[in-house]
Amino acid sequence: MTSWWHGLSGSAKFRLYSRATLDMALVVVVAAMAITTGGWWSIALVVAGIAAVGAVEARPEFALSSRPEPREWVLPAATVTLTGVWLAAVVVGRLAGSESTVAQARLTGTYVAVLAMFSIVAFLPHRWWTVLGLSLATGLAFWKSPASGLITATVTFVFGGFVVGTTLLTLWGLRVVEELDRAKAIEADLQVAEERLRFARDLHDIVGRGFSAIAVKSELAAALSRSGDTDRAVTEMDEVKTLAVESMSRMRELVRGYRGIDLRGEVAGARSLLSAVDCRLVVEGDPAHIPARYHEVAAWVVREGTTNIVEHSSATSAVLALGGAGMSLRNDRPHGPPGERSGLRGLAERLAPLGATLATTASDDEFVLEIHWEKK
């Protein structure tokens, strides 16, 4: 259950909470209704309450996945059940001779109308007109006098309007949370696209001109060779070689500039990135404690570890510890065991030439990435 809960997204957790809240509210309301009516009507209200809970559970708005299992029959069955109990109360209320029986039937009919508004009417397109119509229908169905009919319709409308408003506020909250999740996903995609465009622009600006010159001089050397001017052709090819070497050097510099990272900058970037996904990063120690020869690889550990936290957990807190003999990065709420992660394998390959080692520890509640090196 812990792993399942941690694996849910923030919007799915809020959706589950909202659904559970509505279900519990229905259970409490039905229990109160059954106690106030008594007799056989209590059983009828329990049946109506089960139908109302089933109608809420069948709503796609509260599904935990984007592809909920189809349960088209639940909503019609709930509607028929609630309608049947309401009609039974109307018939008994119209035919019964005992005033107490009529009062119980009227109370039951009003309760069932409110349950229908809570679980079915609130999700309809023209919900407020339906609330008004159902309230008037309930008042007319149990009409004994103008005063009693008006009171019944008014009470039904007030309580029905309250529960419909509560359900609408819940749905509004769900939409807000889902919009926030979508905005975070779009922001992450835009950041990746922006970084790709930056690298492509730098590659074009720095290396493109050298490659263009190589192409032109190669074509010129070929033309000179065909015309018999071999000396100039050799000179041009020597220049092509020089340009190729220079272009390769510039490309290496570009890659190093792209991949070369600073430890302090990565720590600041990690805090900012984790904060964007509602995860608080606590830094223990100082980057200055890391030996100079391990600064670059330590920065890579911070970057890759932060990426793993974002991609493979629902962490709310993380701790980065920096020391002279090693470092560690731990986070809560991982999504299962670490598995085969190419990023961590790449880190291990970077660490091996420096004599450093990588170790991971995973549990249902925590994931720990530890790096150890020889202190000098």
Side-chain angles (χ1 to χ4, degrees):
M1 289 295 295
T2 302
S3 300
W4 170 78
W5 175 256
H6 289 169
L8 293 177
S9 64
S11 60
K13 290 177 181 177
F14 186 75
R15 194 177 297 113
L16 179 61
Y17 162 77
S18 302
R19 187 174 73 183
T21 301
L22 287 181
D23 287 344
M24 289 301 299
L26 279 171
V27 170
V28 172
V29 168
V30 170
M33 290 176 176
I35 292 173
T36 56
T37 52
W40 289 100
W41 294 113
S42 297
I43 300 176
L45 281 172
V46 169
V47 173
I50 293 173
V53 171
V56 171
E57 287 289 318
R59 298 303 307 183
E61 291 88 345
F62 300 114
L64 297 183
S65 64
S66 57
R67 296 181 179 179
E69 296 181 2
R71 293 179 291 178
E72 293 86 356
W73 60 272
V74 175
L75 191 58
T79 305
V80 170
T81 301
L82 289 168
T83 304
V85 175
W86 186 82
L87 289 175
V90 171
V91 171
V92 173
R94 304 297 295 180
L95 299 180
S98 172
E99 186 61 31
S100 61
T101 303
V102 172
Q104 284 183 320
R106 182 187 301 113
L107 189 60
T108 302
T110 302
Y111 284 161
V112 173
V114 172
L115 287 176
M117 295 177 190
F118 200 150
S119 58
I120 297 176
V121 175
F123 301 94
L124 298 178
H126 305 290
R127 55 185 68 88
W128 293 114
W129 287 108
T130 307
V131 169
L132 179 60
L134 185 55
S135 301
L136 293 175
T138 302
L140 291 173
F142 295 99
W143 183 287
K144 290 295 183 180
S145 66
S148 65
L150 181 61
I151 291 174
T152 301
T154 303
V155 170
T156 304
F157 181 79
V158 170
F159 281 97
F162 174 77
V163 297
V164 168
T166 301
T167 305
L168 291 179
L169 285 175
T170 302
L171 294 175
W172 173 78
L174 283 174
R175 286 193 292 269
V176 170
V177 172
E178 288 172 353
E179 287 295 329
L180 288 175
D181 270 2
R182 279 195 290 269
K184 286 184 178 181
I186 292 172
E187 182 182 7
D189 291 340
L190 288 176
Q191 288 177 348
V192 172
E194 183 180 359
E195 184 63 15
R196 288 175 176 170
L197 288 174
R198 186 192 73 80
F199 184 73
R201 182 178 62 250
D202 291 347
L203 184 64
H204 176 271
D205 293 343
I206 295 175
V207 182
R209 185 174 60 180
F211 284 169
S212 298
I214 289 173
V216 171
K217 285 187 171 294
S218 298
E219 185 177 354
L220 176 58
L224 291 172
S225 178
R226 283 193 294 268
S227 65
D229 193 349
T230 56
D231 292 337
R232 288 189 59 191
V234 170
T235 302
E236 293 295 333
M237 289 307 299
D238 287 338
E239 293 182 5
V240 166
K241 178 182 177 181
T242 302
L243 283 172
V245 172
E246 290 178 354
S247 296
M248 290 175 63
S249 176
R250 290 178 181 176
M251 187 162 58
R252 290 192 186 99
E253 291 175 1
L254 173 63
V255 172
R256 281 198 299 269
Y258 177 73
R259 299 177 65 182
I261 50 180
D262 174 69
L263 180 55
R264 290 186 181 276
E266 284 304 312
V267 172
R271 181 180 282 110
S272 176
L273 177 60
L274 292 178
S275 176
V277 294
D278 299 325
C279 178
R280 179 173 175 266
L281 176 65
V282 177
V283 180
E284 298 176 353
D286 191 272
H289 297 159
I290 305 295
R293 68 190 300 256
Y294 297 112
H295 263 229
E296 183 175 352
V297 75
W300 276 106
V301 171
V302 174
R303 176 179 289 189
E304 186 58 36
T306 304
T307 302
N308 281 337
I309 291 175
V310 174
E311 294 181 352
H312 304 290
S313 77
S314 302
T316 58
S317 65
V319 178
L320 172 64
L322 303 171
M327 61 184 296
S328 67
L329 179 60
R330 64 184 68 228
N331 63 275
D332 62 351
R333 302 167 64 180
H335 292 167
E340 292 295 323
R341 291 176 178 167
S342 58
L344 295 184
R345 289 198 302 269
L347 276 181
E349 293 170 359
R350 290 177 182 276
L351 292 166
L354 300 175
T357 59
L358 177 149
T360 59
T361 305
S363 65
D364 291 338
D365 300 321
E366 187 179 58
F367 178 78
V368 182
L369 173 64
E370 292 182 296
I371 309 297
H372 301 279
W373 51 68
E374 182 181 354
K375 184 175 180 180
K376 295 183 180 181

